[in-house]
Amino acid sequence: EVDKANNYFFLAKQYLTKNDTAKYVKAIEDGISKYPNSSSNLVVEMINYYLAKKQQKEALAYLDKGIAAAPGNASLHYAKGTIYDTDTTLQNKDLAIECYKKTVEIDSNHFDAYYNMGAIYYNQGAAKNEEANKVDPDDFKTYAKIKKEADAIFKKALPYLEKAHELDPKDLPTMQSLKLIYYRTGNLEKSKEMK
């Protein structure tokens, strides 16, 4: 069945060389519907096609099919997470984190998933910090409360960024984020080390 499904893949590629995207998509969809358990190449092809076309909703549908067929594929979970992380219409940071966590559960050395989780929390902490900076200077109680919330969010970023740094000790954005988080959480020695 895999070979038969692959025939649809090759047929679709032929249509693509002739710039007939309608027949390309139909050939892939036909292959997936006829050989649902043997068409992982076709599913990945559709995911890549829709991602390239910036049609994230359609890509998500095929990512779900791919994950159902191959739940142990870290790349599929990561791709799904990046859509929820970055697409403005489908954005859902909680779902993105859930997908990234699944990614690192499967592949404990997936730098990008660790970094992205850390970045989500880091950015949320930075937004909360900006909120604190807009508080009336005379309202110290509110300012302190929001700053404390910001620091708690920054702390959530810490283990993910530390793991990313462990996986790639030369990545500058990771070190810059860690430097600030260590400083904010009072670990000046670590902050200096990152600097």
Side-chain angles (χ1 to χ4, degrees), residues 28-113:
I28 292 177
E29 288 174 344
D30 287 348
I32 292 169
S33 68
K34 286 184 182 177
Y35 305 102
N37 299 321
S38 304
S39 58
S40 60
N41 281 354
L42 297 173
V43 171
V44 169
E45 184 70 16
M46 287 308 294
I47 292 165
N48 291 334
Y49 172 76
Y50 284 122
L51 287 175
K53 294 282 185 186
K54 307 244 185 273
Q55 293 176 280
Q56 312 299 43
K57 202 172 191 178
E58 291 81 358
L60 270 178
Y62 281 97
L63 279 164
D64 287 337
K65 286 181 184 183
I67 290 169
N73 185 322
S75 296
L76 296 176
H77 291 281
Y78 176 74
K80 187 174 178 179
T82 58
I83 289 174
Y84 285 129
D85 190 2
T86 60
D87 185 82
T88 53
T89 58
L90 299 168
Q91 194 168 68
N92 184 324
K93 298 296 184 180
D94 292 334
L95 286 176
I97 288 171
E98 188 180 305
C99 293
Y100 293 146
K101 283 183 177 178
K102 187 66 180 171
T103 302
V104 299
E105 183 182 305
I106 296 165
D107 177 3
S108 61
N109 292 317
H110 201 291
F111 168 83
D112 291 323

